[in-house]
Amino acid sequence: TTTTGGSANDVIALNGQLNLNGTTTLRLNPVAGSFAIGTYTLITNHTALVSGSAANLSVETPRGITATLDTTTFPGSVLVGISGSATPSSLFWSGANSGDWDVNLTQNWLLSGSPSVFYNLDNVVFNDAVTTATVNIPAGVSPFSTLISNNSSNYIFAGTGSITGSGGLTKTGTAQATFRNANSYLGNTTINQGTVFLDILNSGTVISQILRS
């Protein structure tokens, strides 16, 4: 549903001028369910005062979703029109171009053997067929699921960003995975094999639940 506020969708309510300066990135990611086709209200305003325009905004959406921002229908407010449907993919980390795990930017992933970028809600796998096992997360990423399946490559996850969203993380394979960033994903962390090292002093990592099998 595109219903504004309440228990349906988050909304920011203003009572004053909306100032849009530079470029601000809006990351649209459903916590549960999927997007409905239609128009959502992101920001409401009791006034029609605004500086800047939709050109000062960029938007990140899951794979298959197109978002169109609107700051003119109701001046002072921000609407977003959603079309398409989410088509999450299963990606394998390659680290071919860098160690950056970013959103729709760097082709550090393989999709059916071809270079690809990551979109939020994709399923991601980290295995031993990689150029680098040091993964930098510069901003928030929200995979649907994360699988670390490593026997020879000891992964290190670091950076100022975090793994967020409702998905969980599973660790298999005998090698180690170290987390040096502050992650806040809500799903379970399942350790089937190997070692998961939480560098708490550096990361401030919070894990919802750890399952050992």
Side-chain angles (χ1 to χ4, degrees), residues 8-70:
N9 298 295
D10 293 332
V11 64
I12 299 172
L14 302 180
N15 186 19
Q17 180 165 317
L18 173 64
N19 297 307
L20 300 175
N21 302 311
T23 300
T24 299
T25 300
L26 304 177
R27 183 175 295 112
L28 304 182
N29 186 29
V31 175
S34 59
F35 286 112
I37 295 175
T39 301
Y40 291 80
T41 300
L42 301 180
I43 299 176
T44 61
N45 203 334
H46 291 287
T47 76
L49 301 175
V50 60
S51 65
S53 68
N56 296 104
L57 301 172
S58 65
V59 62
E60 293 178 358
T61 60
R63 191 183 301 269
I65 295 291
T66 299
T68 303
L69 295 166
D70 174 9

Side-chain angles (χ1 to χ4, degrees), residues 6-212:
S7 60
N9 298 295
D10 293 332
V11 64
I12 299 172
L14 302 180
N15 186 19
Q17 180 165 317
L18 173 64
N19 297 307
L20 300 175
N21 302 311
T23 300
T24 299
T25 300
L26 304 177
R27 183 175 295 112
L28 304 182
N29 186 29
V31 175
S34 59
F35 286 112
I37 295 175
T39 301
Y40 291 80
T41 300
L42 301 180
I43 299 176
T44 61
N45 203 334
H46 291 287
T47 76
L49 301 175
V50 60
S51 65
S53 68
N56 296 104
L57 301 172
S58 65
V59 62
E60 293 178 358
T61 60
R63 191 183 301 269
I65 295 291
T66 299
T68 303
L69 295 166
D70 174 9
T71 58
T72 59
T73 299
F74 299 104
S77 299
V78 178
L79 312 179
V80 60
I82 295 293
S83 60
S85 59
T87 55
S89 293
S90 294
L91 303 179
F92 290 81
W93 173 257
S94 69
N97 292 293
S98 70
D100 289 344
W101 179 3
D102 46 38
V103 178
N104 192 19
L105 184 61
T106 310
Q107 290 187 330
N108 279 328
W109 302 86
L110 294 177
L111 172 58
S112 300
S114 298
S116 180
V117 297
F118 168 83
Y119 285 81
N120 286 326
L121 299 187
D122 282 341
N123 300 284
V124 298
V125 178
F126 297 87
N127 59 23
D128 293 322
V130 297
T131 301
T132 177
T134 300
V135 181
N136 174 55
I137 306 177
V141 294
S142 299
F144 187 81
S145 67
T146 301
L147 171 62
I148 304 172
S149 179
N150 56 331
N151 291 295
S152 59
S153 299
N154 291 313
Y155 274 91
I156 297 175
F157 296 85
T160 56
S162 62
I163 304 173
T164 67
S166 59
L169 182 146
T170 300
K171 171 69 177 73
T172 65
T174 57
Q176 180 170 297
T178 299
F179 292 90
R180 293 177 177 167
N181 60 323
N183 298 301
S184 58
Y185 60 88
L186 300 178
N188 291 333
T189 299
T190 303
I191 305 172
N192 293 322
Q193 195 177 20
T195 302
V196 174
F197 177 66
L198 305 179
D199 193 353
I200 300 297
L201 293 179
N202 289 321
S203 71
T205 296
V206 176
I207 291 183
S208 55
Q209 182 174 355
I210 297 178
L211 305 176
R212 177 73 165 88

